[in-house]
Amino acid sequence: MNIDDLLWLKRVAERGSVRRAAAELGMSQPALSKSLRRLETSFGLKLLSGRLGASC
């Protein structure tokens, strides 16, 4: 986990879409999803609802 992972999580929450956040961040959706999974593993909990995480 690093500060970028947290900032990216914030962007996903603000946009309501992993796909939209990834596009704005200039990264692929799979790369952003991997970052979010890394955070979930670090914290030991699910950070986004399935609906939000799936709204690619």
Side-chain angles (χ1 to χ4, degrees):
M1 173 178 59
N2 61 49
I3 191 69
D4 287 333
D5 293 331
L6 295 170
L7 294 172
W8 297 338
L9 171 63
K10 179 180 179 277
R11 182 67 59 98
V12 171
E14 290 170 345
R15 299 303 176 254
S17 166
V18 174
R19 180 189 52 79
R20 276 183 255 151
E24 286 185 14
L25 293 165
M27 62 192 308
S28 69
Q29 183 273 324
L32 181 53
S33 293
K34 183 176 181 179
S35 168
L36 298 174
R37 284 192 302 277
R38 189 170 46 238
L39 279 177
E40 291 177 337
T41 299
S42 294
F43 289 124
L45 52 90
K46 190 154 180 74
L47 297 172
L48 300 171
S49 70
R51 182 76 176 140
L52 175 63
S55 61
C56 303

